[in-house]
Amino acid sequence: MAAKRILLIIGGGIAAYKSIELLRLLRKSGHEVRCVLTRAGEQFVTPMTLAALSENKVHTSLFDLKDEVEMGHIQLSREADLVVVAPATADLMAKMAQGLADDLATTLLLATDKPVLAAPAMNVRMWLHPATQRNVATLRGDGVTVMEPDVGEMACGEFGPGRLPEPEAIHDAIVEALRTATPLPLPALAGQPDFAPSRRRPLYGRRILITAGPTHEPIDPVRYIANRSSGKQGFAIAAAAAEAGADVLLIAGPVSLPTPPGVIRVDVESAREMAEEVADGLPVDAAIMVAAVADWRAADTSAQKIKKDGSGKVPPLALTENPDILAGLAEHPKRPALLVGFAAETNDVLDHAKAKRVRKGCDWIVANDVSADPMGGENNRVHIVSHDGVDSWKRLPKEAVARKLMEKIADELDRRIPPETD
Ligand code: CTP
């Protein structure tokens, strides 16, 4: 089986130590695992052990997620192919069944659109209690796979069902769930467009990274080098990708545009920050680099505001080149299956775009002529330059360009990575 991404939520119970063995088995099978530890879980296993074995940061609190709390947890719950709760304590399952979200684990479980597998572990009386049995039935009805606990002697000395299944058995159940499970069904919202995951949406199940906007390169605490990019085309593309069902990560330079619905957004200032966030966002199926990244930054930035010294002499401004994010991605071991660059040109548009495609190692360049239509306008006339030639579109609103581009990208991704069929 191809490597998958598993979000492992570890609840608080004496059986939590077995989750360490489960994590080891999953890593041995080649899967990437991110661990979330509940506060009670921390009493039984340490974040350090889990971080060392998973080779990933361990998340424990809703409030330690980077950047925006709101976005961080949604991203964690969407990045996974499968969410596994082991051990699933009586308390955790009760919260899941009720839809409570009072900590990171329960918030992730409520926010996820991915299949969920729970491996229960609790005292026999707790397992057999009508409340727990009701919660298990509710969860199963909601599409969660709840394993049967093992029968045997408990840590508390009692005997019966309630022991956490052995790590090998949970591992087998995970393999099966990855093979067969479908995302949790979401009801369509009354009067709203259909947000339920649907295989009809052409980018459903695809992960797309988009850069947008300008970058700001600091000179001193109050001054920076920038360009005129408005970010409108990149944001329209992010919106169209989310509408088409993709998981969208938008890495935005400084712009004052609202985040499109369903898009996970990370704000950056400089080219180097953007390059870092792009690398952190991998792997993705397609990357669309719409940002107008500053080619140069100040070679030295001053920690204090540079002052006039009264002599009339102008301070020197030495520049140094920024990393080329697109070219770097083309050579990255996790290069996306489809890599798309943008090129705003003022002359010899197609020749420059063709040369740029080859120079940067990307699959397509979306080229536009900005000589008569400066950045920031509402419309765009683009040419898609690929290995197969040039596809020129008429002038269209940026939203229409975005939607048409998403259709083309969906077709191309289906050719390059055929979607899994049920
Ligand atoms: N790009 C990038 N990192 C950079 C510069 C550009 O990722 N440091 C990406 C842009 O997001 C865009 C493509 O490369 O997708 C082309 O950007 P452009 O500014 O046109 O390319 P340059 O290499 O700067 O070429 P030139 O300025 O010579 O036209």
Side-chain angles (χ1 to χ4, degrees), residues 211 289-295 322-327 340-345 356 359-360 365:
T211 65
M289 315 301 275
V290 199
V293 183
D295 290 318
N322 265 330
D324 190 314
I325 305 170
L326 176 57
V340 180
F342 264 66
E345 307 286 353
K356 209 168 264 185
R359 191 171 75 238
K360 301 219 177 203
I365 285 278

Side-chain angles (χ1 to χ4, degrees), residues 8-63:
L8 176 59
I9 296 177
I10 299 162
I14 189 73
Y17 73 93
K18 288 192 189 170
S19 61
I20 296 172
E21 176 60 9
L22 173 63
L23 167 56
R24 209 184 54 75
L25 291 173
L26 290 168
R27 294 289 294 144
K28 209 165 137 202
S29 311
H31 300 304
E32 190 188 322
V33 185
R34 275 187 183 273
C35 295
V36 169
L37 194 52
T38 63
R39 193 199 278 253
E42 274 188 86
Q43 305 300 316
F44 297 93
V45 290
T46 68
M48 184 87 84
T49 312
L50 301 172
L53 284 173
S54 67
E55 296 179 84
N56 265 322
K57 180 173 167 23
V58 174
H59 301 278
T60 52
S61 157
L62 193 50
F63 302 104

Side-chain angles (χ1 to χ4, degrees), residues 237-317:
I237 287 173
E243 260 171 43
D247 286 343
V248 183
L249 176 61
L250 171 64
I251 299 170
V255 290
S256 50
L257 292 173
T259 309
V263 167
I264 293 166
R265 169 178 178 174
V266 176
D267 285 320
V268 296
E269 291 273 327
S270 68
R272 285 186 296 174
E273 284 169 22
M274 188 174 273
E276 228 170 80
E277 292 296 342
V278 166
D280 278 0
L282 300 178
V284 294
D285 298 304
I288 313 167
M289 315 301 275
V290 199
V293 183
D295 290 318
W296 304 287
R297 65 176 185 274
D300 300 301
T301 52
S302 168
Q304 275 134 26
K305 184 181 171 191
I306 302 168
K307 304 290 285 178
K308 291 193 287 276
D309 66 5
S311 70
K313 273 203 298 198
V314 178
L317 180 60

